[in-house]
Amino acid sequence: MIDLRSMEYDELESFLIESGEPKYRAKQIFSWLMQGVDSFDEMTNVSKKTREMLMGKSYISKLTIREKYTSKLDGTIKYLFALDDGNCIETVVMRYHHGISVCISSQVGCRMGCGFCASTIGGLYRSLTAGEILNQVIYAQKDIKERISNIVMMGIGEPLDNYDNVLKFLHNVNHPYGLNIGYRHISLSTCGIVDKIYRLADENLPITLSVSLHAPNNKIRDGIMPINHKYKIEELMEACRVYIKKTARRISFEYSLISGVNDSIENAEELAGLLHGMLCHINLIPVNHVEERDYHKSKNYDIKKFQEKLIQLGMNATVRRELGADISASCGQLRKKLL
Ligand code: SAH
């Protein structure tokens, strides 16, 4: 049985034609799927015969809201969604002046092992299908009854470790017959899987690439991000330069400030040197607390000094506002929970 929500539009069209349906059915069915129907019976403009055919050959993947928390501080919503196999993932909805953003997961767990992140504790269970990634946007939108305009792939998992499904998802979420969310309103964050950054550069998608850098040199990065043993900072920077050249898009570098680890003035100077001349923006994130980890947020004074030093050296650097602090919905705090 195939999941209709994991199929790209063209695949759906071929599948329907092979099943003896007219081509225009694809548009009807695709748009029902994207509106968040749970069953074939809800597709009211599709004949009973076609619905029975679909039921015999395919299914529609679903998400069930297991828990929903709303922040009293800023209205951020965190969902614990159960997948059809009982595994759970977290998805976060955030309100900004420019619209509503959803932060989605790409895997159940993560195998990247970053020392400061909750999502990787317990390792990787499995990657999400294209439909399961998409469903987070569909079901969150259905629940809040408002249009989601922006997507950040910054939830649980490493998107570039689930490359093919993430690509399918991007095509589907952008499709004009579906949610029609523009690529420029989508950010994808990676810990720096270099060969996949090169591949992504060739896809010609004007999304925003965020790179989780968190250190200005190999010594510090080796200590907090295992991926750095595989791809050194120099290789990562070269891939980023090629990405910028090919796409003409600015990269956003994420830098979590961890007290005593990567937050000195010398670190700021070294970071500015590393990124000098690149079309980029630096997103400073005071590290969020994760119970099992012994990393602490930098002091406000040190954060300010770090940012000022970067700006003084000609860099574009902002401090990310923390949302959903009272419901553990901030960066690095999302984790899978098994039933
Ligand atoms: N695997 C991808 C997607 C996760 S995005 C990636 O690594 O980019 C989540 C962002 O939050 C990443 O930049 C990640 O490094 C950062 N992060 C993880 N744990 C954090 C923590 N405890 N505090 C602040 N940021 C954290």
Side-chain angles (χ1 to χ4, degrees):
M1 294 277 254
I2 37 175
D3 172 21
L4 291 189
R5 270 206 272 251
S6 285
M7 278 184 160
E8 288 202 29
Y9 189 83
D10 296 351
E11 289 178 280
L12 180 67
E13 204 172 64
S14 318
F15 164 75
L16 289 167
I17 292 169
E18 278 162 29
S19 307
E21 295 294 325
K23 198 171 161 182
Y24 71 83
R25 277 271 183 274
K27 187 173 175 182
Q28 291 175 325
I29 293 172
F30 190 80
S31 92
W32 280 117
L33 292 167
M34 299 301 134
Q35 280 167 44
V37 296
D38 281 333
S39 75
F40 294 110
D41 290 338
E42 290 173 65
M43 300 181 174
T44 48
N45 59 355
V46 177
S47 72
K48 187 141 184 277
K49 195 173 135 272
T50 305
R51 280 185 269 141
E52 276 166 5
M53 181 282 291
L54 290 172
M55 235 176 278
K57 293 188 177 177
S58 63
Y59 71 101
I60 304 172
S61 61
K62 290 181 253 315
L63 288 182
T64 314
I65 300 178
R66 258 311 116 93
E67 283 171 56
K68 177 179 171 182
Y69 311 89
T70 305
S71 166
K72 292 192 176 66
L73 302 173
D74 50 50
T76 297
I77 303 170
K78 179 170 84 169
Y79 295 98
L80 181 68
F81 281 126
L83 305 164
D84 289 329
D85 69 355
N87 273 307
C88 288
I89 46 163
E90 293 191 323
T91 304
V92 179
V93 170
M94 299 160 289
R95 285 169 189 281
Y96 293 100
H97 303 298
H98 59 265
I100 299 179
S101 281
V102 64
C103 174
I104 59 174
S105 298
S106 54
Q107 296 180 312
V108 183
C110 182
R111 60 183 179 135
M112 295 300 134
C114 299
F116 42 82
C117 181
S119 299
T120 196
I121 298 170
L124 175 71
Y125 271 64
R126 68 171 176 88
S127 284
L128 298 184
T129 63
E132 288 169 332
I133 303 173
L134 181 67
N135 278 342
Q136 298 169 69
V137 187
I138 293 176
Y139 282 80
Q141 184 162 277
K142 201 164 133 175
D143 186 61
I144 63 171
K145 299 181 185 71
E146 281 175 89
R147 179 169 191 269
I148 287 175
S149 53
N150 295 273
I151 298 175
V152 293
M153 302 203 78
M154 295 191 181
I156 301 168
E158 167 51 49
L160 298 188
D161 190 34
N162 184 16
Y163 193 90
D164 294 338
N165 291 340
V166 164
L167 252 275
K168 267 186 159 191
F169 153 75
L170 290 171
H171 293 151
N172 274 347
V173 84
N174 172 255
H175 202 284
Y177 298 158
L179 299 178
N180 199 12
I181 297 181
Y183 287 125
R184 284 167 203 281
H185 296 265
I186 303 176
S187 293
L188 183 152
S189 181
T190 177
C191 66
I193 303 189
V194 165
D195 56 331
K196 300 291 169 37
I197 294 177
Y198 283 112
R199 237 175 108 181
L200 192 63
D202 288 329
E203 304 284 355
N204 215 353
L205 301 176
I207 57 171
T208 298
L209 182 66
S210 293
V211 173
S212 300
L213 188 56
H214 306 317
N217 59 47
N218 284 315
K219 186 155 178 281
I220 298 177
R221 204 163 190 266
D222 277 340
I224 53 178
M225 298 181 73
I227 189 72
N228 204 66
H229 299 300
K230 184 158 184 199
Y231 301 109
K232 293 289 152 202
I233 253 182
E234 297 75 22
E235 291 173 72
L236 176 58
M237 287 304 122
E238 181 53 22
C240 291
R241 278 190 209 96
V242 170
Y243 186 91
I244 294 168
K245 195 155 178 243
K246 279 200 174 159
T247 62
R249 302 278 300 159
R250 174 162 93 152
I251 288 186
S252 175
F253 287 101
E254 288 157 287
Y255 194 102
S256 294
L257 287 160
I258 312 172
S259 179
V261 173
N262 62 2
D263 65 343
S264 70
I265 286 299
E266 292 74 42
N267 297 152
E269 286 167 350
E270 200 176 358
L271 180 63
L274 185 71
L275 303 180
H276 188 76
M278 274 170 94
L279 183 64
C280 72
H281 174 260
I282 304 168
N283 227 319
L284 300 170
I285 317 167
V287 81
N288 292 306
H289 183 66
V290 172
E291 217 172 83
E292 295 86 340
R293 308 300 207 202
D294 200 23
Y295 290 112
H296 299 281
K297 226 180 228 145
S298 305
K299 293 185 194 70
N300 284 342
Y301 175 81
D302 292 332
I303 296 172
K304 201 159 173 284
K305 287 277 161 226
F306 197 96
Q307 183 192 15
E308 278 170 7
K309 179 48 86 183
L310 289 174
I311 293 172
Q312 186 197 331
L313 294 171
M315 307 308 291
N316 197 322
T318 50
V319 180
R320 185 180 289 175
R321 191 160 63 98
E322 186 182 17
L323 291 173
D326 55 335
I327 55 169
S328 290
S330 304
C331 301
Q333 294 182 311
L334 304 185
R335 53 180 84 207
K336 67 182 189 297
K337 286 187 196 140
L338 292 175
L339 299 176

